Amino acid sequence: QVQLVESGGGLVQAGGSLRLSCAASGRTFSSYAIAWFRQRPGKEREFVAAISWNVNSTYYADSVKGRFTISRDNAKNTVYLQMYNLKPEDTAVYDCAARQPTQSGSYFYPKNYNYWGQGTQVTVSS
């Protein structure tokens, strides 16, 4: 069992930066791949970024490539999403999600994740 708690959201002007954190409980955290998803107003949840358990692989949505960076510190049981050059269209509730080592399927789909946090709101003003 893994419990996830997001933090770091807030209100920022366009062009600004934020760093989101996803803190996890559980001794097996380091074996889980972690992703960030977001849900913009009136839209379905969408993939933002993911990182493999061993940090060898990272994945990004095209809309955030070059602006967002996902990283993890397994010693601190925490995954980060550093967001630069934020745009109003980045406004959303951001969730982190964990998938078990045995979970198959693409990193890009919410259905392939087993645990979710409660979300943190990011609002980018123009």
Side-chain angles (χ1 to χ4, degrees), residues 13-107:
Q13 288 189 329
S17 302
L18 281 175
R19 187 176 79 160
L20 305 183
S21 298
C22 174
S25 64
R27 292 178 294 175
T28 58
F29 170 77
S30 61
S31 64
Y32 286 68
I34 304 293
W36 288 94
F37 288 82
R38 68 185 181 187
Q39 188 159 18
R40 294 183 280 182
K43 304 286 187 180
E44 292 188 355
R45 179 180 277 163
E46 63 178 350
F47 172 81
V48 176
I51 187 165
S52 62
W53 70 273
N54 59 3
V55 199
N56 281 353
S57 299
T58 56
Y59 309 88
Y60 296 94
D62 288 343
S63 59
V64 306
K65 276 181 185 175
R67 299 189 299 121
F68 291 11
T69 301
I70 189 170
S71 62
R72 68 189 296 164
D73 184 340
N74 286 338
K76 295 182 178 180
N77 277 12
T78 302
V79 170
Y80 305 99
L81 184 69
Q82 179 68 56
M83 306 185 293
Y84 296 104
N85 190 22
L86 283 160
K87 304 175 181 181
E89 52 264 41
D90 294 318
T91 294
V93 175
Y94 285 72
D95 296 296
C96 66
R99 56 186 262 163
Q100 296 170 336
T102 54
Q103 180 67 48
S104 61
S106 169
Y107 280 92

